[in-house]
Amino acid sequence: MSVTFPSVETHPVSDGIATSPASVNDLAIRVGTVNGSGSQSANLVLLRALYAMGIPCSGKNVFPSNIEGLPTWFHIRASAKGYVGHRLDTPILVCMNEMTAKDDVRLLNPGSICIYRDDFAEDLRTIRNDVQFFPVPFAKLVEQAYPPDKADKAYRDKLRKVINMVYVGVVAYVTGIEIEAVEAGIRREFPGRKAKAAEINISAARTGYEWSKDHLPDNLPFRVERLDSTGNQILIEGNKAAALGALFGGTSVMTWYPITPSSSLAEYAEDFLKKHRTGPDGKATFAVVQAEDELAAIGMAIGAGWAGARALTATSGPGIGLMTEFVGLAYFAEIPVVIIDVQRMGPSTGLPTRTSQGDVLKMHLLGHGDCRHVVLIPGSVGECYSLTIEALDLAQQFQTPIFVATDLDMGMNLWLTDPFPYPEKPMERGKVLSAEDLERYGQFERYKDVDGDGVCRRTVPGTEHPLAAYFTRGTGHNEKSGYSERPEDWKKNLDRLARKLETARGVLPKPVIEGQVAATVGLIAYGSSHPAVVEARDILKDQGIATEYCRIRALPTSDEVTHFIERHQRVYVVEQNRDAQITALLRASLPGSITDRLRALTHYNGTPLAAENIVRPILGWEKSPSGPGWPTGNVEVDNPDKPHDAPDISPE
Amino acid sequence: MATEATVLVQSNGHSFELPTLAFAGLPSTLCKGCGHNSITSYLIEACKAVGVNPYNTVKFSGIGCSSKTPAYFLQYSHGFNALHGRMPSVATGAALANRKLLSIGISGDGDTANIGMGQFKHACRRNLPLVYIVENNGCYGLTKGQFSATADLKAPLRRETGEQNTIPPFDLCLEAIMGGATFVARSFAGDKKQLLPLLKAALTHKGLSFLDIISPCVTFNDFSSSTKSWDWAKAHEEPLQEVGFVRRLPEIEVEQKAGETTNVQLHDGSWITLRALRHDELKVTDRKSATSLLMESNERGEFLTGLMYVAPDRPDFVTMQNMVETPLSRLPLEALRPSRETLQKIMETI
């Protein structure tokens, strides 16, 4: 059988338009498929194969709020330099979904490769002529690999899934991913009982690979080669990492209500707890409740924390909204509880499957009246693990709600990381008095600041001593927890709570600061922006702009952040929200003389932050810092002619 | 032996004496004559009678007049005045943290039937071990007399000539039974004879013990045409049974007299004795029988009180968690962190 392919057409590249230069081990692949078609397995296989070849890699699922039918994309990145952030340009595009194929093709840089189904109604080659198009007879190839099985009623459904493994084979050939690594990845994806499925899928991948060998040019420009850079690293989602933090942080009561993108965190945690915290007699050292809503989830966690448990709940923005009143109560009544917010794009239902850092200020100030909370912000999956453990300790130590702020990008995507270390610090119990303590002290007042650090002593129910009991209330109270409306009592208590937060501020995770102290330009970022900032700093450096970088890991911010701002003329604050929430917080708390050094660099279209989103506005600012057309920092506004990643997927 | 000034308390296999003041609380700040105060005093009496250990008891409430009352009893017990309508969730968490606790939740009709209906019904569904008392006066006292969701159809607002309620009420006993509560009773703050044994039984039952207690609001809802007033309730109360509660006596002492008394044994060996006064067709262990009686009597406008439904054998929510015997809150911290080797093994599988 012979198939003719058009020769690769060249196209004069206009000035200033980036092309995709040939590369080795600097790969980005975008796969457009239909949600629910089983493409996730295929994409994970590609990722595992890259990982097995020792190439640092990451994968991102850009998916709709839908179970089946709407378009979904998977981004795979391999980078010898270890960059794992989102990349806007993808030199290799795989189109399995005709609905989005044309839009996806328009996004490509000249010189890119597009692999697509040859049975699309419209041939993509008519759209542009500066891209290499490889139409592949997927339907035919998959039936070759997995012949019709009349006995199997689910055959059609399975075929629809297996077809994805054909593109895995094609991509492997095109990019130089070893087919053996693909096979190993498939076996890993379909272990044990699924061995038969593994063989079918291996056959599909091989068919795609062999067909490509026969029909596609060799020496294609975007290739990977074996490296030795992944060592004993693991690939893990932030939600699984945080779930491990919950397990090793000693969570004893976890309550939750299903909400994307935090559900998988709670489900992983429940699985881990069941497996590793159940005794040989089947008895558990934990309790997990799927509550009726987030109000109940936080209420249960607070009740548990009050009664002496290490309590945790996980949610996302809308859940945080519902938890507001309870979090204010826990702040004021001083009850330990950990709340993990895997942020998604709001307001309202918003983009429930897209990422954002839109809740950070809300978490910090959640509640009515004067509320202020500790927020820990992991910048890696490793920190999703370690800061969840830290949060469980801080909650006990400071008897207050502690937030852990991650997001969909961090939580639901796969990231390469070193294996997690065992927590060396003993678990914190906080100032809990036993019956013996009470006997020794001869007195107990729940809200008296005995130690001068704003942190009072507490007792838990079940303490058999006449002095132990107190009445916990959200109403105004004096040191004995008695009802009080006296202005002195009220103010004294509120001031002590501020003092307690100040004590906490001193022990919270410090910012991570790296780069050149003498640099003019400072960069501040937090959370999942980190990988993009790392890459952006290298690009800026190549452009002659040296930077120092401060990654905030906790609110309220420590003095180091202030000092960092003080030593730079201009400080760009990278935020994945519209209103530059942390910039606003810093402006409100910094000495007035330095607040005008801050420039917010915001990204809020629902896609993960890419280095390009940071580099472009900073280059604009630094190279032409005034006059018309001065960049706003918003990549969409600053680049009106450039299409912005995901095309419209609305089903209407 | 307990003297007058002390109470013998039994707790997890050991017993000790506590001064009676351990069961008392602060003076009430509710209105004089409020039904809630009567309920508080009967609750104290019931706790003493069954030898509740205040150290192992926790009191919960939501928001409203009723929700202030946990400050007025069991001062040796921890209390938690939570949020409006959210008492059940807080009680759920505490019960999981410490499975040995006896939980008493005090709510009102607004706190439960309006803002808290969801959490109330889910607590019933889970059969949370909790004595859940609704002090039901058909109105919001603390915000000055607005209707609650238990106000009867055509009930006048605040006074004899007040605007009439146009929306039919929830029957909280029906809701509790449908929800899955395993001990459901209705009583009246003015009927000590019935309320006291019901409270004792509720404190002993392992599971959700729901008591809907008509408790007149003397300030906003105590006029003669109000079905939640002292006079109306006294005149119209129709007790279903003569209720008795017998603590852990040998079976022979409460031997059933056929046709007259129904005896129900609770998990710890105590007995509820019921001598039917009317509607002897009610089978208290049968959900269908209880709900149809309640629905029919509601249509007839009867004010029936007594034990409506009891299912002593359904496992409670905390038992179903299959937790270790030691309360989670008292586990040594080492028990909560898996070993270094476990982490290593997990890392190898990822």
Side-chain angles (χ1 to χ4, degrees):
Chain A
M1 186 175 72
S2 107
V3 181
T4 330
F5 281 92
S7 60
V8 176
E9 286 153 308
T10 54
H11 181 74
V13 175
S14 43
D15 283 351
I17 294 180
T19 53
S20 291
S23 63
V24 175
N25 287 342
D26 183 17
L27 187 65
I29 305 168
R30 176 175 164 96
V31 180
T33 55
V34 178
N35 206 33
S37 68
S39 59
Q40 181 79 342
S41 296
N43 300 320
L44 291 179
V45 165
L46 279 172
L47 205 55
R48 290 219 172 88
L50 287 165
Y51 168 78
M53 288 175 69
I55 307 162
C57 52
S58 59
K60 284 189 200 302
N61 195 0
V62 180
F63 60 104
S65 176
N66 164 258
I67 296 297
E68 192 174 321
L70 288 186
T72 183
W73 293 267
F74 198 86
H75 284 237
I76 294 164
R77 181 165 190 192
S79 160
K81 289 182 179 167
Y83 298 143
V84 290
H86 187 51
R87 194 170 141 180
L88 293 185
D89 69 300
T90 47
I92 294 187
L93 171 70
V94 179
C95 298
M96 299 298 284
N97 183 5
E98 183 157 22
M99 195 174 172
T100 60
K102 283 197 280 181
D103 281 334
D104 282 341
V105 167
R106 288 193 188 98
L107 287 176
L108 292 172
N109 280 345
S112 300
I113 287 173
C114 173
I115 296 160
Y116 67 107
R117 292 178 65 128
D118 71 344
D119 53 1
F120 283 167
E122 203 174 333
D123 195 329
L124 295 178
R125 282 173 291 198
T126 58
I127 302 173
R128 52 193 288 188
N129 58 3
D130 56 351
V131 166
Q132 291 198 67
F133 285 102
F134 298 151
V136 178
F138 282 106
K140 210 182 290 172
L141 293 175
V142 71
E143 285 206 20
Q144 255 176 46
Y146 180 32
D149 179 0
K150 288 214 176 90
D152 188 353
K153 279 183 186 148
Y155 171 76
R156 279 282 138 201
D157 195 45
K158 286 180 190 164
L159 191 76
R160 206 168 62 98
K161 292 178 176 165
V162 176
I163 197 168
N164 294 306
M165 220 51 87
V166 180
Y167 76 64
V168 170
V170 176
V171 167
Y173 174 78
V174 167
T175 61
I177 294 174
E178 294 162 7
I179 191 70
E180 296 74 21
V182 168
E183 284 186 17
I186 292 173
R187 290 217 163 85
R188 177 80 196 261
E189 188 65 21
F190 301 94
R193 291 186 295 113
K194 298 178 183 164
K196 197 182 155 208
E199 293 317 310
I200 292 168
N201 280 287
I202 286 173
S203 161
R206 277 227 173 258
T207 305
Y209 191 85
E210 296 301 329
W211 179 89
S212 305
K213 210 163 147 186
D214 294 343
H215 299 90
L216 300 187
D218 49 11
N219 289 327
L220 286 163
F222 315 113
R223 304 195 63 77
V224 292
E225 283 169 10
R226 194 166 264 280
L227 277 179
D228 190 18
S229 299
T230 54
N232 64 344
Q233 288 193 306
I234 56 168
L235 268 173
I236 189 170
E237 308 105 289
N239 280 354
K240 194 182 262 187
L244 282 170
L247 174 69
F248 285 91
T251 302
S252 53
V253 174
M254 182 181 77
T255 58
W256 66 292
Y257 183 76
I259 179 170
T260 305
S262 75
S263 305
S264 64
L265 194 164
E267 284 167 336
Y268 282 134
E270 183 167 1
D271 288 348
F272 283 135
L273 286 165
K274 278 182 178 155
K275 196 155 176 210
H276 303 290
R277 292 264 298 280
T278 305
D281 56 354
K283 300 287 182 188
T285 59
F286 67 90
V288 174
V289 187
Q290 184 191 319
E292 57 268 34
D293 53 30
E294 288 92 343
L295 286 168
I298 186 69
M300 289 174 193
I302 286 171
W306 173 76
R310 295 170 77 85
L312 177 144
T313 183
T315 187
S316 190
I320 293 291
L322 287 178
M323 292 179 181
T324 304
E325 190 186 10
F326 252 128
V327 169
L329 171 70
Y331 171 79
F332 191 57
E334 301 184 58
I335 297 163
V337 63
V338 171
I339 304 150
I340 305 180
D341 178 3
V342 187
Q343 297 166 90
R344 66 189 216 185
M345 183 57 86
S348 189
T349 309
L351 299 175
T353 59
R354 300 302 165 99
T355 197
S356 162
Q357 293 178 328
D359 302 341
V360 278
L361 197 55
K362 178 77 69 204
M363 279 182 254
H364 187 45
L365 303 174
L366 198 69
H368 55 273
D370 283 311
C371 280
R372 208 167 261 260
H373 312 287
V374 169
V375 184
L376 304 185
I377 315 176
S380 64
V381 282
E383 285 184 354
C384 286
Y385 165 76
S386 62
L387 294 188
T388 299
I389 296 175
E390 180 85 26
L392 284 157
D393 281 336
L394 288 169
Q396 297 297 324
Q397 192 176 351
F398 293 101
Q399 306 170 14
T400 195
I402 306 285
F403 285 92
V404 179
T406 74
D407 59 36
L408 185 143
D409 185 19
M410 177 78 79
M412 291 189 74
N413 287 323
L414 284 163
W415 303 84
L416 202 61
T417 180
D418 288 330
F420 301 150
Y422 193 71
E424 299 300 337
K425 207 173 76 177
M427 258 183 267
E428 178 71 53
R429 186 73 174 109
K431 297 181 187 176
V432 177
L433 301 183
S434 65
E436 295 72 36
D437 295 332
L438 292 165
E439 191 59 34
R440 198 165 59 244
Y441 295 135
Q443 59 172 348
F444 166 59
E445 290 173 9
R446 172 66 183 96
Y447 298 110
K448 190 177 170 73
D449 186 4
V450 181
D451 305 315
D453 56 1
V455 185
C456 306
R457 291 154 188 199
R458 69 177 184 125
T459 57
V460 296
T463 308
E464 298 210 342
H465 196 279
L467 290 173
Y470 68 97
F471 194 63
T472 306
R473 54 173 87 240
T475 45
H477 45 257
N478 56 26
E479 291 180 339
K480 295 187 171 81
S481 194
Y483 181 73
S484 172
E485 295 182 8
R486 291 175 66 219
E488 321 70 288
D489 282 343
W490 178 263
K491 186 168 179 300
K492 191 177 173 189
N493 198 30
L494 223 53
D495 288 344
R496 181 184 54 76
L497 287 169
R499 196 159 65 242
K500 181 167 85 165
L501 191 75
E502 188 57 20
T503 306
R505 196 172 74 89
V507 303
L508 296 179
K510 299 283 178 219
V512 178
I513 296 176
E514 52 198 57
Q516 298 177 26
V517 179
T520 313
V521 173
L523 270 175
I524 289 179
Y526 55 92
S528 68
S529 299
H530 177 60
V533 173
V534 168
E535 187 177 352
R537 290 185 61 226
D538 286 352
I539 301 172
L540 288 169
K541 196 176 161 199
D542 291 344
Q543 300 276 340
I545 300 172
T547 57
E548 192 185 21
Y549 170 34
C550 168
R551 180 164 65 85
I552 293 174
R553 297 198 299 163
L555 302 178
T557 55
S558 67
D559 294 342
E560 282 84 347
V561 177
T562 311
H563 299 148
F564 175 87
I565 296 166
E566 279 168 348
R567 64 176 175 261
H568 298 289
Q569 280 180 30
R570 286 182 297 285
V571 177
Y572 297 99
V573 187
V574 180
E575 308 210 43
Q576 296 181 53
N577 54 62
R578 182 193 67 186
D579 292 339
Q581 297 179 10
I582 296 298
T583 312
L585 187 69
L586 289 170
R587 283 201 172 119
S589 55
L590 289 172
S593 58
I594 61 168
T595 56
D596 58 0
R597 297 175 184 196
L598 299 179
R599 272 182 211 156
L601 206 161
T602 56
H603 172 79
Y604 51 93
N605 64 5
T607 59
L609 183 72
E612 196 180 349
N613 299 135
I614 300 168
V615 170
R616 278 166 178 268
I618 290 183
L619 276 183
W621 265 316
E622 292 296 321
K623 304 259 172 178
S624 55
S626 63
W630 193 17
T632 62
N634 178 326
V635 71
E636 287 78 18
V637 174
D638 295 340
N639 302 280
D641 305 327
K642 171 105 180 148
H644 302 290
D645 210 12
D648 186 12
I649 60 148
S650 50
E652 288 88 45
Chain B
M1 190 63 210
T3 64
E4 235 182 84
T6 63
V7 177
L8 186 68
V9 161
Q10 314 241 336
S11 178
N12 299 324
H14 67 297
S15 58
F16 51 94
E17 285 180 23
L18 282 178
T20 46
L21 68 86
F23 293 80
L26 298 168
S28 169
T29 59
L30 297 173
C31 306
K32 282 204 170 54
C34 175
H36 300 3
N37 291 333
S38 312
I39 297 169
T40 298
S41 67
Y42 304 148
L43 186 58
I44 292 173
E45 207 174 320
C47 285
K48 288 197 282 197
V50 299
V52 157
N53 175 7
Y55 293 140
N56 259 336
T57 303
V58 276
K59 309 168 289 182
F60 299 99
S61 60
I63 296 293
C65 293
S66 63
S67 300
K68 292 172 174 242
T69 63
Y72 313 147
F73 62 89
L74 295 187
Q75 57 187 346
Y76 276 22
S77 303
H78 279 73
F80 196 146
N81 179 204
L83 298 181
H84 201 17
R86 318 294 175 215
M87 175 272 280
S89 62
V90 176
T92 305
L96 294 171
N98 187 339
R99 59 177 304 173
K100 305 270 159 120
L101 297 176
L102 168 68
S103 304
I104 303 171
I106 313 286
S107 181
D109 38 305
D111 193 56
T112 287
N114 290 71
I115 192 168
M117 194 60 137
Q119 294 210 345
F120 161 62
K121 294 211 67 163
H122 282 274
C124 291
R125 174 175 168 247
R126 294 190 178 100
N127 197 25
L128 181 71
L130 169 72
V131 179
Y132 192 132
I133 295 170
V134 168
E135 300 181 333
N136 185 352
N137 56 22
C139 70
Y140 286 81
L142 215 50
T143 53
K144 304 201 170 178
Q146 299 85 352
F147 287 131
S148 81
T150 64
D152 280 318
L153 195 59
K154 296 192 177 156
L157 184 69
R158 295 193 181 101
R159 64 186 80 86
E160 218 64 80
T161 55
E163 203 178 313
Q164 287 192 350
N165 179 27
T166 56
I167 305 170
F170 282 125
D171 180 325
L172 288 176
C173 285
L174 261 179
E175 299 295 338
I177 296 169
M178 296 311 290
T182 47
F183 179 108
V184 178
R186 174 168 290 137
S187 193
F188 167 46
D191 186 355
K192 180 179 178 182
K193 189 166 165 255
Q194 181 194 61
L195 185 48
L196 204 54
L198 282 176
L199 283 168
K200 291 179 197 169
L203 287 165
T204 309
H205 173 68
K206 213 163 176 291
L208 197 127
S209 305
F210 178 69
L211 289 128
D212 178 21
I213 307 174
I214 304 307
S215 175
C217 172
V218 291
T219 303
F220 295 109
N221 205 6
D222 197 30
F223 39 86
S224 61
S225 63
S226 164
T227 54
K228 303 285 192 287
S229 67
W230 284 112
D231 289 348
W232 194 95
K234 251 178 227 163
H236 293 85
E237 185 193 4
E238 297 183 42
L240 284 165
Q241 317 102 341
E242 206 174 274
V243 183
F245 177 76
V246 188
R247 271 186 82 189
R248 281 175 248 165
L249 287 182
E251 202 154 331
I252 192 153
E253 306 262 339
V254 284
E255 192 181 304
Q256 183 160 339
K257 289 179 216 156
E260 281 185 27
T261 312
T262 306
N263 298 323
V264 181
Q265 191 169 30
L266 299 178
H267 77 105
D268 72 337
S270 305
W271 289 86
I272 306 171
T273 64
L274 302 164
R275 194 172 69 81
L277 298 174
R278 51 177 65 75
H279 292 295
D280 57 5
E281 76 276 15
L282 171 67
K283 288 191 343 217
V284 286
T285 51
D286 179 11
R287 241 151 72 115
K288 243 197 247 166
S289 167
T291 50
S292 52
L293 175 61
L294 279 166
M295 285 199 272
E296 285 159 18
S297 69
N298 283 347
E299 276 167 27
R300 290 191 294 265
E302 291 172 327
F303 173 33
L304 297 184
T305 61
L307 183 64
M308 303 293 170
Y309 174 66
V310 61
D313 298 329
R314 201 190 127 194
D316 69 89
F317 183 63
V318 172
T319 305
M320 285 189 297
Q321 300 307 308
N322 205 18
M323 291 183 281
V324 290
E325 197 56 27
T326 309
L328 299 182
S329 63
R330 287 208 212 121
L331 284 175
L333 293 176
E334 311 84 76
L336 300 176
R337 176 171 286 168
S339 69
R340 198 176 290 271
E341 292 67 40
T342 305
L343 178 65
Q344 205 176 336
K345 269 188 207 140
I346 294 172
M347 287 293 112
E348 281 160 14
T349 63
I350 285 169

